[in-house]
PDB file of all heavy atoms in Angstrom:
ATOM      1  N   ALA A 291      23.385  57.320 -20.867  1.00  0.00           N
ATOM      2  CA  ALA A 291      22.710  56.059 -20.714  1.00  0.00           C
ATOM      3  C   ALA A 291      23.131  55.351 -19.379  1.00  0.00           C
ATOM      4  O   ALA A 291      22.260  54.720 -18.775  1.00  0.00           O
ATOM      5  CB  ALA A 291      23.013  55.137 -21.885  1.00  0.00           C
ATOM      6  N   GLN A 292      24.355  55.505 -18.980  1.00  0.00           N
ATOM      7  CA  GLN A 292      24.840  54.881 -17.768  1.00  0.00           C
ATOM      8  C   GLN A 292      24.413  55.586 -16.479  1.00  0.00           C
ATOM      9  O   GLN A 292      24.143  54.951 -15.482  1.00  0.00           O
ATOM     10  CB  GLN A 292      26.419  54.846 -17.761  1.00  0.00           C
ATOM     11  CG  GLN A 292      27.003  54.219 -16.529  1.00  0.00           C
ATOM     12  CD  GLN A 292      26.712  52.729 -16.397  1.00  0.00           C
ATOM     13  OE1 GLN A 292      26.570  51.981 -17.395  1.00  0.00           O
ATOM     14  NE2 GLN A 292      26.557  52.231 -15.184  1.00  0.00           N
ATOM     15  N   ALA A 293      24.211  56.923 -16.570  1.00  0.00           N
ATOM     16  CA  ALA A 293      23.920  57.703 -15.360  1.00  0.00           C
ATOM     17  C   ALA A 293      22.552  57.312 -14.771  1.00  0.00           C
ATOM     18  O   ALA A 293      21.637  56.908 -15.560  1.00  0.00           O
ATOM     19  CB  ALA A 293      23.949  59.181 -15.709  1.00  0.00           C
ATOM     20  N   ASP A 294      22.357  57.503 -13.526  1.00  0.00           N
ATOM     21  CA  ASP A 294      21.071  57.214 -12.879  1.00  0.00           C
ATOM     22  C   ASP A 294      20.012  58.239 -13.421  1.00  0.00           C
ATOM     23  O   ASP A 294      18.835  57.911 -13.603  1.00  0.00           O
ATOM     24  CB  ASP A 294      21.142  57.323 -11.368  1.00  0.00           C
ATOM     25  CG  ASP A 294      22.148  56.322 -10.803  1.00  0.00           C
ATOM     26  OD1 ASP A 294      21.850  55.157 -10.739  1.00  0.00           O
ATOM     27  OD2 ASP A 294      23.259  56.748 -10.464  1.00  0.00           O
ATOM     28  N   VAL A 295      20.431  59.498 -13.617  1.00  0.00           N
ATOM     29  CA  VAL A 295      19.613  60.503 -14.215  1.00  0.00           C
ATOM     30  C   VAL A 295      20.405  61.089 -15.366  1.00  0.00           C
ATOM     31  O   VAL A 295      21.378  61.802 -15.202  1.00  0.00           O
ATOM     32  CB  VAL A 295      19.295  61.628 -13.167  1.00  0.00           C
ATOM     33  CG1 VAL A 295      18.389  62.656 -13.780  1.00  0.00           C
ATOM     34  CG2 VAL A 295      18.648  60.990 -11.897  1.00  0.00           C
ATOM     35  N   GLY A 296      19.961  60.821 -16.592  1.00  0.00           N
ATOM     36  CA  GLY A 296      20.624  61.310 -17.761  1.00  0.00           C
ATOM     37  C   GLY A 296      19.782  62.390 -18.393  1.00  0.00           C
ATOM     38  O   GLY A 296      18.697  62.137 -18.973  1.00  0.00           O
ATOM     39  N   VAL A 297      20.207  63.683 -18.293  1.00  0.00           N
ATOM     40  CA  VAL A 297      19.445  64.828 -18.779  1.00  0.00           C
ATOM     41  C   VAL A 297      20.068  65.316 -20.077  1.00  0.00           C
ATOM     42  O   VAL A 297      21.162  65.842 -20.088  1.00  0.00           O
ATOM     43  CB  VAL A 297      19.392  65.964 -17.761  1.00  0.00           C
ATOM     44  CG1 VAL A 297      18.511  67.093 -18.283  1.00  0.00           C
ATOM     45  CG2 VAL A 297      18.929  65.495 -16.435  1.00  0.00           C
ATOM     46  N   ALA A 298      19.389  65.049 -21.221  1.00  0.00           N
ATOM     47  CA  ALA A 298      19.913  65.493 -22.505  1.00  0.00           C
ATOM     48  C   ALA A 298      19.360  66.856 -22.872  1.00  0.00           C
ATOM     49  O   ALA A 298      18.190  67.151 -22.535  1.00  0.00           O
ATOM     50  CB  ALA A 298      19.495  64.479 -23.589  1.00  0.00           C
ATOM     51  N   MET A 299      20.196  67.648 -23.457  1.00  0.00           N
ATOM     52  CA  MET A 299      19.709  69.001 -23.904  1.00  0.00           C
ATOM     53  C   MET A 299      18.901  68.868 -25.207  1.00  0.00           C
ATOM     54  O   MET A 299      19.284  68.128 -26.106  1.00  0.00           O
ATOM     55  CB  MET A 299      20.923  69.942 -24.173  1.00  0.00           C
ATOM     56  CG  MET A 299      21.829  70.147 -22.939  1.00  0.00           C
ATOM     57  SD  MET A 299      21.071  70.991 -21.535  1.00  0.00           S
ATOM     58  CE  MET A 299      20.804  69.634 -20.406  1.00  0.00           C
ATOM     59  N   GLN A 300      17.758  69.574 -25.273  1.00  0.00           N
ATOM     60  CA  GLN A 300      16.954  69.521 -26.479  1.00  0.00           C
ATOM     61  C   GLN A 300      17.690  70.018 -27.678  1.00  0.00           C
ATOM     62  O   GLN A 300      17.452  69.544 -28.791  1.00  0.00           O
ATOM     63  CB  GLN A 300      15.668  70.383 -26.231  1.00  0.00           C
ATOM     64  CG  GLN A 300      14.946  70.749 -27.516  1.00  0.00           C
ATOM     65  CD  GLN A 300      14.295  69.521 -28.206  1.00  0.00           C
ATOM     66  OE1 GLN A 300      14.299  68.495 -27.617  1.00  0.00           O
ATOM     67  NE2 GLN A 300      13.788  69.701 -29.351  1.00  0.00           N
ATOM     68  N   THR A 301      18.684  70.917 -27.490  1.00  0.00           N
ATOM     69  CA  THR A 301      19.430  71.456 -28.650  1.00  0.00           C
ATOM     70  C   THR A 301      20.528  70.450 -29.093  1.00  0.00           C
ATOM     71  O   THR A 301      21.255  70.685 -30.046  1.00  0.00           O
ATOM     72  CB  THR A 301      20.152  72.762 -28.266  1.00  0.00           C
ATOM     73  OG1 THR A 301      20.911  72.571 -27.079  1.00  0.00           O
ATOM     74  CG2 THR A 301      19.122  73.856 -27.999  1.00  0.00           C
ATOM     75  N   GLY A 302      20.635  69.341 -28.376  1.00  0.00           N
ATOM     76  CA  GLY A 302      21.712  68.397 -28.680  1.00  0.00           C
ATOM     77  C   GLY A 302      21.384  67.431 -29.822  1.00  0.00           C
ATOM     78  O   GLY A 302      20.349  67.554 -30.482  1.00  0.00           O
ATOM     79  N   THR A 303      22.192  66.395 -29.904  1.00  0.00           N
ATOM     80  CA  THR A 303      22.047  65.419 -30.993  1.00  0.00           C
ATOM     81  C   THR A 303      20.928  64.439 -30.675  1.00  0.00           C
ATOM     82  O   THR A 303      20.532  64.258 -29.518  1.00  0.00           O
ATOM     83  CB  THR A 303      23.342  64.658 -31.207  1.00  0.00           C
ATOM     84  OG1 THR A 303      23.688  63.946 -30.012  1.00  0.00           O
ATOM     85  CG2 THR A 303      24.489  65.625 -31.536  1.00  0.00           C
ATOM     86  N   GLN A 304      20.447  63.770 -31.732  1.00  0.00           N
ATOM     87  CA  GLN A 304      19.431  62.739 -31.564  1.00  0.00           C
ATOM     88  C   GLN A 304      19.925  61.616 -30.672  1.00  0.00           C
ATOM     89  O   GLN A 304      19.192  61.114 -29.823  1.00  0.00           O
ATOM     90  CB  GLN A 304      19.060  62.188 -32.911  1.00  0.00           C
ATOM     91  CG  GLN A 304      17.920  61.197 -32.955  1.00  0.00           C
ATOM     92  CD  GLN A 304      16.585  61.884 -32.814  1.00  0.00           C
ATOM     93  OE1 GLN A 304      16.480  63.129 -32.915  1.00  0.00           O
ATOM     94  NE2 GLN A 304      15.488  61.104 -32.571  1.00  0.00           N
ATOM     95  N   ALA A 305      21.231  61.264 -30.800  1.00  0.00           N
ATOM     96  CA  ALA A 305      21.799  60.166 -29.983  1.00  0.00           C
ATOM     97  C   ALA A 305      21.712  60.511 -28.491  1.00  0.00           C
ATOM     98  O   ALA A 305      21.383  59.678 -27.692  1.00  0.00           O
ATOM     99  CB  ALA A 305      23.212  59.909 -30.395  1.00  0.00           C
ATOM    100  N   ALA A 306      22.048  61.775 -28.165  1.00  0.00           N
ATOM    101  CA  ALA A 306      22.032  62.184 -26.749  1.00  0.00           C
ATOM    102  C   ALA A 306      20.596  62.171 -26.224  1.00  0.00           C
ATOM    103  O   ALA A 306      20.367  61.703 -25.126  1.00  0.00           O
ATOM    104  CB  ALA A 306      22.606  63.582 -26.617  1.00  0.00           C
ATOM    105  N   ARG A 307      19.647  62.656 -26.989  1.00  0.00           N
ATOM    106  CA  ARG A 307      18.286  62.690 -26.514  1.00  0.00           C
ATOM    107  C   ARG A 307      17.682  61.287 -26.310  1.00  0.00           C
ATOM    108  O   ARG A 307      16.872  61.061 -25.421  1.00  0.00           O
ATOM    109  CB  ARG A 307      17.388  63.486 -27.515  1.00  0.00           C
ATOM    110  CG  ARG A 307      17.686  64.964 -27.506  1.00  0.00           C
ATOM    111  CD  ARG A 307      16.685  65.744 -28.287  1.00  0.00           C
ATOM    112  NE  ARG A 307      16.716  65.487 -29.686  1.00  0.00           N
ATOM    113  CZ  ARG A 307      15.854  65.997 -30.583  1.00  0.00           C
ATOM    114  NH1 ARG A 307      14.956  66.851 -30.190  1.00  0.00           N
ATOM    115  NH2 ARG A 307      15.993  65.683 -31.851  1.00  0.00           N
ATOM    116  N   GLU A 308      18.095  60.348 -27.126  1.00  0.00           N
ATOM    117  CA  GLU A 308      17.589  58.978 -27.007  1.00  0.00           C
ATOM    118  C   GLU A 308      18.293  58.227 -25.883  1.00  0.00           C
ATOM    119  O   GLU A 308      17.706  57.335 -25.281  1.00  0.00           O
ATOM    120  CB  GLU A 308      17.777  58.214 -28.311  1.00  0.00           C
ATOM    121  CG  GLU A 308      16.868  58.732 -29.443  1.00  0.00           C
ATOM    122  CD  GLU A 308      17.051  57.967 -30.709  1.00  0.00           C
ATOM    123  OE1 GLU A 308      17.963  57.107 -30.759  1.00  0.00           O
ATOM    124  OE2 GLU A 308      16.308  58.193 -31.662  1.00  0.00           O
ATOM    125  N   ALA A 309      19.523  58.641 -25.557  1.00  0.00           N
ATOM    126  CA  ALA A 309      20.294  57.943 -24.445  1.00  0.00           C
ATOM    127  C   ALA A 309      19.815  58.343 -23.110  1.00  0.00           C
ATOM    128  O   ALA A 309      19.793  57.537 -22.165  1.00  0.00           O
ATOM    129  CB  ALA A 309      21.781  58.184 -24.645  1.00  0.00           C
ATOM    130  N   GLY A 310      19.426  59.639 -22.955  1.00  0.00           N
ATOM    131  CA  GLY A 310      19.040  60.124 -21.596  1.00  0.00           C
ATOM    132  C   GLY A 310      17.679  59.631 -21.228  1.00  0.00           C
ATOM    133  O   GLY A 310      16.887  59.195 -22.046  1.00  0.00           O
ATOM    134  N   ASN A 311      17.355  59.739 -19.921  1.00  0.00           N
ATOM    135  CA  ASN A 311      16.044  59.415 -19.456  1.00  0.00           C
ATOM    136  C   ASN A 311      15.231  60.699 -19.164  1.00  0.00           C
ATOM    137  O   ASN A 311      14.128  60.629 -18.604  1.00  0.00           O
ATOM    138  CB  ASN A 311      15.997  58.451 -18.276  1.00  0.00           C
ATOM    139  CG  ASN A 311      17.005  58.818 -17.217  1.00  0.00           C
ATOM    140  OD1 ASN A 311      17.269  60.024 -16.980  1.00  0.00           O
ATOM    141  ND2 ASN A 311      17.597  57.812 -16.531  1.00  0.00           N
ATOM    142  N   MET A 312      15.797  61.807 -19.442  1.00  0.00           N
ATOM    143  CA  MET A 312      15.082  63.110 -19.370  1.00  0.00           C
ATOM    144  C   MET A 312      15.642  63.993 -20.506  1.00  0.00           C
ATOM    145  O   MET A 312      16.767  63.895 -20.889  1.00  0.00           O
ATOM    146  CB  MET A 312      15.369  63.836 -18.033  1.00  0.00           C
ATOM    147  CG  MET A 312      14.769  63.168 -16.821  1.00  0.00           C
ATOM    148  SD  MET A 312      14.919  64.237 -15.346  1.00  0.00           S
ATOM    149  CE  MET A 312      14.342  63.081 -14.111  1.00  0.00           C
ATOM    150  N   VAL A 313      14.743  64.873 -21.010  1.00  0.00           N
ATOM    151  CA  VAL A 313      15.175  65.843 -22.028  1.00  0.00           C
ATOM    152  C   VAL A 313      14.760  67.224 -21.529  1.00  0.00           C
ATOM    153  O   VAL A 313      13.609  67.463 -21.199  1.00  0.00           O
ATOM    154  CB  VAL A 313      14.466  65.562 -23.365  1.00  0.00           C
ATOM    155  CG1 VAL A 313      14.864  66.637 -24.398  1.00  0.00           C
ATOM    156  CG2 VAL A 313      14.810  64.205 -23.928  1.00  0.00           C
ATOM    157  N   ASP A 314      15.774  68.115 -21.419  1.00  0.00           N
ATOM    158  CA  ASP A 314      15.535  69.477 -20.993  1.00  0.00           C
ATOM    159  C   ASP A 314      15.245  70.318 -22.222  1.00  0.00           C
ATOM    160  O   ASP A 314      16.131  70.571 -23.077  1.00  0.00           O
ATOM    161  CB  ASP A 314      16.747  70.023 -20.269  1.00  0.00           C
ATOM    162  CG  ASP A 314      16.579  71.486 -19.863  1.00  0.00           C
ATOM    163  OD1 ASP A 314      15.467  72.011 -19.934  1.00  0.00           O
ATOM    164  OD2 ASP A 314      17.559  72.143 -19.526  1.00  0.00           O
ATOM    165  N   LEU A 315      13.986  70.744 -22.389  1.00  0.00           N
ATOM    166  CA  LEU A 315      13.578  71.500 -23.555  1.00  0.00           C
ATOM    167  C   LEU A 315      14.181  72.892 -23.664  1.00  0.00           C
ATOM    168  O   LEU A 315      14.240  73.513 -24.698  1.00  0.00           O
ATOM    169  CB  LEU A 315      12.038  71.554 -23.615  1.00  0.00           C
ATOM    170  CG  LEU A 315      11.307  70.265 -23.618  1.00  0.00           C
ATOM    171  CD1 LEU A 315       9.817  70.490 -23.654  1.00  0.00           C
ATOM    172  CD2 LEU A 315      11.782  69.366 -24.716  1.00  0.00           C
ATOM    173  N   ASP A 316      14.688  73.432 -22.484  1.00  0.00           N
ATOM    174  CA  ASP A 316      15.265  74.721 -22.473  1.00  0.00           C
ATOM    175  C   ASP A 316      16.794  74.681 -22.653  1.00  0.00           C
ATOM    176  O   ASP A 316      17.461  75.683 -22.692  1.00  0.00           O
ATOM    177  CB  ASP A 316      14.956  75.454 -21.166  1.00  0.00           C
ATOM    178  CG  ASP A 316      13.486  75.767 -21.016  1.00  0.00           C
ATOM    179  OD1 ASP A 316      12.837  76.034 -22.040  1.00  0.00           O
ATOM    180  OD2 ASP A 316      13.003  75.787 -19.864  1.00  0.00           O
ATOM    181  N   SER A 317      17.345  73.452 -22.626  1.00  0.00           N
ATOM    182  CA  SER A 317      18.802  73.211 -22.729  1.00  0.00           C
ATOM    183  C   SER A 317      19.594  74.041 -21.676  1.00  0.00           C
ATOM    184  O   SER A 317      20.560  74.707 -22.001  1.00  0.00           O
ATOM    185  CB  SER A 317      19.260  73.596 -24.178  1.00  0.00           C
ATOM    186  OG  SER A 317      18.612  72.752 -25.101  1.00  0.00           O
ATOM    187  N   ASN A 318      19.131  74.002 -20.493  1.00  0.00           N
ATOM    188  CA  ASN A 318      19.716  74.710 -19.369  1.00  0.00           C
ATOM    189  C   ASN A 318      20.269  73.691 -18.388  1.00  0.00           C
ATOM    190  O   ASN A 318      19.487  73.031 -17.653  1.00  0.00           O
ATOM    191  CB  ASN A 318      18.728  75.618 -18.683  1.00  0.00           C
ATOM    192  CG  ASN A 318      19.281  76.384 -17.496  1.00  0.00           C
ATOM    193  OD1 ASN A 318      20.479  76.236 -17.223  1.00  0.00           O
ATOM    194  ND2 ASN A 318      18.437  77.121 -16.850  1.00  0.00           N
ATOM    195  N   PRO A 319      21.609  73.552 -18.276  1.00  0.00           N
ATOM    196  CA  PRO A 319      22.117  72.401 -17.428  1.00  0.00           C
ATOM    197  C   PRO A 319      21.815  72.638 -15.942  1.00  0.00           C
ATOM    198  O   PRO A 319      21.727  71.668 -15.232  1.00  0.00           O
ATOM    199  CB  PRO A 319      23.635  72.585 -17.656  1.00  0.00           C
ATOM    200  CG  PRO A 319      23.895  73.919 -18.147  1.00  0.00           C
ATOM    201  CD  PRO A 319      22.693  74.282 -18.933  1.00  0.00           C
ATOM    202  N   THR A 320      21.636  73.856 -15.526  1.00  0.00           N
ATOM    203  CA  THR A 320      21.315  74.113 -14.099  1.00  0.00           C
ATOM    204  C   THR A 320      19.840  73.746 -13.792  1.00  0.00           C
ATOM    205  O   THR A 320      19.380  73.936 -12.681  1.00  0.00           O
ATOM    206  CB  THR A 320      21.591  75.538 -13.688  1.00  0.00           C
ATOM    207  OG1 THR A 320      20.806  76.415 -14.463  1.00  0.00           O
ATOM    208  CG2 THR A 320      23.054  75.857 -13.901  1.00  0.00           C
ATOM    209  N   LYS A 321      19.059  73.352 -14.831  1.00  0.00           N
ATOM    210  CA  LYS A 321      17.693  72.945 -14.582  1.00  0.00           C
ATOM    211  C   LYS A 321      17.699  71.745 -13.625  1.00  0.00           C
ATOM    212  O   LYS A 321      16.642  71.440 -13.041  1.00  0.00           O
ATOM    213  CB  LYS A 321      17.077  72.541 -15.916  1.00  0.00           C
ATOM    214  CG  LYS A 321      15.596  72.178 -15.874  1.00  0.00           C
ATOM    215  CD  LYS A 321      14.733  73.386 -15.646  1.00  0.00           C
ATOM    216  CE  LYS A 321      14.781  74.264 -16.889  1.00  0.00           C
ATOM    217  NZ  LYS A 321      14.159  73.677 -18.076  1.00  0.00           N
ATOM    218  N   LEU A 322      18.835  71.093 -13.407  1.00  0.00           N
ATOM    219  CA  LEU A 322      18.861  69.974 -12.436  1.00  0.00           C
ATOM    220  C   LEU A 322      18.447  70.425 -11.048  1.00  0.00           C
ATOM    221  O   LEU A 322      18.020  69.608 -10.230  1.00  0.00           O
ATOM    222  CB  LEU A 322      20.268  69.373 -12.399  1.00  0.00           C
ATOM    223  CG  LEU A 322      20.279  67.963 -11.730  1.00  0.00           C
ATOM    224  CD1 LEU A 322      19.757  66.892 -12.700  1.00  0.00           C
ATOM    225  CD2 LEU A 322      21.627  67.606 -11.211  1.00  0.00           C
ATOM    226  N   ILE A 323      18.580  71.711 -10.744  1.00  0.00           N
ATOM    227  CA  ILE A 323      18.133  72.207  -9.439  1.00  0.00           C
ATOM    228  C   ILE A 323      16.627  71.958  -9.293  1.00  0.00           C
ATOM    229  O   ILE A 323      16.154  71.410  -8.306  1.00  0.00           O
ATOM    230  CB  ILE A 323      18.452  73.714  -9.288  1.00  0.00           C
ATOM    231  CG1 ILE A 323      19.945  73.942  -9.251  1.00  0.00           C
ATOM    232  CG2 ILE A 323      17.734  74.308  -8.039  1.00  0.00           C
ATOM    233  CD1 ILE A 323      20.346  75.418  -9.264  1.00  0.00           C
ATOM    234  N   GLU A 324      15.856  72.297 -10.361  1.00  0.00           N
ATOM    235  CA  GLU A 324      14.406  71.994 -10.349  1.00  0.00           C
ATOM    236  C   GLU A 324      14.143  70.552 -10.399  1.00  0.00           C
ATOM    237  O   GLU A 324      13.264  70.034  -9.740  1.00  0.00           O
ATOM    238  CB  GLU A 324      13.765  72.704 -11.525  1.00  0.00           C
ATOM    239  CG  GLU A 324      13.507  74.183 -11.354  1.00  0.00           C
ATOM    240  CD  GLU A 324      14.759  75.041 -11.611  1.00  0.00           C
ATOM    241  OE1 GLU A 324      15.676  74.511 -12.276  1.00  0.00           O
ATOM    242  OE2 GLU A 324      14.764  76.213 -11.181  1.00  0.00           O
ATOM    243  N   ILE A 325      14.912  69.818 -11.185  1.00  0.00           N
ATOM    244  CA  ILE A 325      14.731  68.347 -11.312  1.00  0.00           C
ATOM    245  C   ILE A 325      14.963  67.670  -9.957  1.00  0.00           C
ATOM    246  O   ILE A 325      14.121  66.825  -9.518  1.00  0.00           O
ATOM    247  CB  ILE A 325      15.620  67.782 -12.361  1.00  0.00           C
ATOM    248  CG1 ILE A 325      15.263  68.313 -13.787  1.00  0.00           C
ATOM    249  CG2 ILE A 325      15.600  66.256 -12.375  1.00  0.00           C
ATOM    250  CD1 ILE A 325      16.249  67.881 -14.847  1.00  0.00           C
ATOM    251  N   VAL A 326      16.017  68.040  -9.271  1.00  0.00           N
ATOM    252  CA  VAL A 326      16.312  67.483  -7.938  1.00  0.00           C
ATOM    253  C   VAL A 326      15.183  67.843  -6.960  1.00  0.00           C
ATOM    254  O   VAL A 326      14.725  66.995  -6.179  1.00  0.00           O
ATOM    255  CB  VAL A 326      17.683  67.894  -7.446  1.00  0.00           C
ATOM    256  CG1 VAL A 326      17.865  67.527  -5.967  1.00  0.00           C
ATOM    257  CG2 VAL A 326      18.806  67.266  -8.270  1.00  0.00           C
ATOM    258  N   GLY A 327      14.789  69.101  -7.026  1.00  0.00           N
ATOM    259  CA  GLY A 327      13.737  69.568  -6.114  1.00  0.00           C
ATOM    260  C   GLY A 327      12.452  68.807  -6.347  1.00  0.00           C
ATOM    261  O   GLY A 327      11.780  68.415  -5.319  1.00  0.00           O
ATOM    262  N   ILE A 328      12.115  68.557  -7.589  1.00  0.00           N
ATOM    263  CA  ILE A 328      10.884  67.831  -7.899  1.00  0.00           C
ATOM    264  C   ILE A 328      10.990  66.396  -7.465  1.00  0.00           C
ATOM    265  O   ILE A 328      10.066  65.787  -6.960  1.00  0.00           O
ATOM    266  CB  ILE A 328      10.529  67.925  -9.401  1.00  0.00           C
ATOM    267  CG1 ILE A 328      10.142  69.361  -9.724  1.00  0.00           C
ATOM    268  CG2 ILE A 328       9.465  66.964  -9.773  1.00  0.00           C
ATOM    269  CD1 ILE A 328      10.007  69.660 -11.177  1.00  0.00           C
ATOM    270  N   GLY A 329      12.217  65.783  -7.663  1.00  0.00           N
ATOM    271  CA  GLY A 329      12.435  64.419  -7.200  1.00  0.00           C
ATOM    272  C   GLY A 329      12.286  64.297  -5.708  1.00  0.00           C
ATOM    273  O   GLY A 329      11.639  63.351  -5.189  1.00  0.00           O
ATOM    274  N   LYS A 330      12.864  65.231  -4.979  1.00  0.00           N
ATOM    275  CA  LYS A 330      12.776  65.195  -3.530  1.00  0.00           C
ATOM    276  C   LYS A 330      11.346  65.485  -3.075  1.00  0.00           C
ATOM    277  O   LYS A 330      10.867  64.835  -2.134  1.00  0.00           O
ATOM    278  CB  LYS A 330      13.733  66.243  -2.926  1.00  0.00           C
ATOM    279  CG  LYS A 330      15.178  65.936  -3.035  1.00  0.00           C
ATOM    280  CD  LYS A 330      16.090  66.966  -2.340  1.00  0.00           C
ATOM    281  CE  LYS A 330      17.551  66.640  -2.481  1.00  0.00           C
ATOM    282  NZ  LYS A 330      17.965  65.405  -1.827  1.00  0.00           N
ATOM    283  N   GLN A 331      10.682  66.363  -3.816  1.00  0.00           N
ATOM    284  CA  GLN A 331       9.240  66.625  -3.506  1.00  0.00           C
ATOM    285  C   GLN A 331       8.339  65.421  -3.684  1.00  0.00           C
ATOM    286  O   GLN A 331       7.474  65.173  -2.887  1.00  0.00           O
ATOM    287  CB  GLN A 331       8.796  67.849  -4.359  1.00  0.00           C
ATOM    288  CG  GLN A 331       7.438  68.351  -4.000  1.00  0.00           C
ATOM    289  CD  GLN A 331       6.997  69.487  -4.890  1.00  0.00           C
ATOM    290  OE1 GLN A 331       7.221  69.463  -6.095  1.00  0.00           O
ATOM    291  NE2 GLN A 331       6.430  70.511  -4.337  1.00  0.00           N
ATOM    292  N   LEU A 332       8.666  64.694  -4.761  1.00  0.00           N
ATOM    293  CA  LEU A 332       7.906  63.456  -5.014  1.00  0.00           C
ATOM    294  C   LEU A 332       8.078  62.459  -3.880  1.00  0.00           C
ATOM    295  O   LEU A 332       7.116  61.896  -3.369  1.00  0.00           O
ATOM    296  CB  LEU A 332       8.353  62.855  -6.335  1.00  0.00           C
ATOM    297  CG  LEU A 332       7.782  61.464  -6.724  1.00  0.00           C
ATOM    298  CD1 LEU A 332       6.289  61.502  -6.880  1.00  0.00           C
ATOM    299  CD2 LEU A 332       8.448  60.929  -7.959  1.00  0.00           C
ATOM    300  N   LEU A 333       9.334  62.223  -3.513  1.00  0.00           N
ATOM    301  CA  LEU A 333       9.593  61.270  -2.377  1.00  0.00           C
ATOM    302  C   LEU A 333       8.981  61.766  -1.100  1.00  0.00           C
ATOM    303  O   LEU A 333       8.425  60.956  -0.364  1.00  0.00           O
ATOM    304  CB  LEU A 333      11.096  61.099  -2.254  1.00  0.00           C
ATOM    305  CG  LEU A 333      11.822  60.453  -3.437  1.00  0.00           C
ATOM    306  CD1 LEU A 333      13.360  60.463  -3.208  1.00  0.00           C
ATOM    307  CD2 LEU A 333      11.383  59.009  -3.668  1.00  0.00           C
ATOM    308  N   MET A 334       9.107  63.077  -0.806  1.00  0.00           N
ATOM    309  CA  MET A 334       8.526  63.595   0.389  1.00  0.00           C
ATOM    310  C   MET A 334       7.032  63.500   0.451  1.00  0.00           C
ATOM    311  O   MET A 334       6.446  63.178   1.471  1.00  0.00           O
ATOM    312  CB  MET A 334       8.984  65.035   0.594  1.00  0.00           C
ATOM    313  CG  MET A 334      10.436  65.248   1.021  1.00  0.00           C
ATOM    314  SD  MET A 334      10.904  66.978   1.053  1.00  0.00           S
ATOM    315  CE  MET A 334       9.690  67.624   2.133  1.00  0.00           C
ATOM    316  N   THR A 335       6.392  63.828  -0.687  1.00  0.00           N
ATOM    317  CA  THR A 335       4.940  63.764  -0.737  1.00  0.00           C
ATOM    318  C   THR A 335       4.438  62.338  -0.511  1.00  0.00           C
ATOM    319  O   THR A 335       3.512  62.128   0.307  1.00  0.00           O
ATOM    320  CB  THR A 335       4.462  64.253  -2.143  1.00  0.00           C
ATOM    321  OG1 THR A 335       4.939  65.587  -2.377  1.00  0.00           O
ATOM    322  CG2 THR A 335       2.927  64.215  -2.204  1.00  0.00           C
ATOM    323  N   ARG A 336       5.069  61.373  -1.155  1.00  0.00           N
ATOM    324  CA  ARG A 336       4.686  59.950  -0.972  1.00  0.00           C
ATOM    325  C   ARG A 336       4.884  59.539   0.506  1.00  0.00           C
ATOM    326  O   ARG A 336       4.068  58.906   1.083  1.00  0.00           O
ATOM    327  CB  ARG A 336       5.479  59.096  -1.893  1.00  0.00           C
ATOM    328  CG  ARG A 336       4.955  57.648  -1.933  1.00  0.00           C
ATOM    329  CD  ARG A 336       5.802  56.818  -2.865  1.00  0.00           C
ATOM    330  NE  ARG A 336       5.627  57.270  -4.219  1.00  0.00           N
ATOM    331  CZ  ARG A 336       6.613  57.269  -5.129  1.00  0.00           C
ATOM    332  NH1 ARG A 336       7.794  56.848  -4.807  1.00  0.00           N
ATOM    333  NH2 ARG A 336       6.391  57.654  -6.361  1.00  0.00           N
TER     334      ARG A 336
END
């Protein structure tokens, strides 16, 4: 909840999924590589 980007794993608890502002349906922590890339791509595109 405190983090700027809170990525909860889909396999995790309900509390974790509700606290995060993203849910990774594959429960892969390194998915942040794609998340960061998409965030940078969004800013660059705009």
Side-chain angles (χ1 to χ4, degrees):
Q292 178 67 33
D294 300 285
V295 181
V297 185
M299 302 294 105
Q300 165 65 10
T301 55
T303 61
Q304 185 78 10
R307 290 190 294 178
E308 291 181 353
N311 46 32
M312 293 187 188
V313 177
D314 175 16
L315 303 180
D316 294 328
S317 300
N318 178 4
T320 60
K321 186 72 68 68
L322 195 79
I323 294 174
E324 281 79 18
I325 294 173
V326 169
I328 290 169
K330 290 183 181 294
Q331 189 180 41
L332 173 64
L333 296 173
M334 286 175 56
T335 303
R336 188 182 295 145

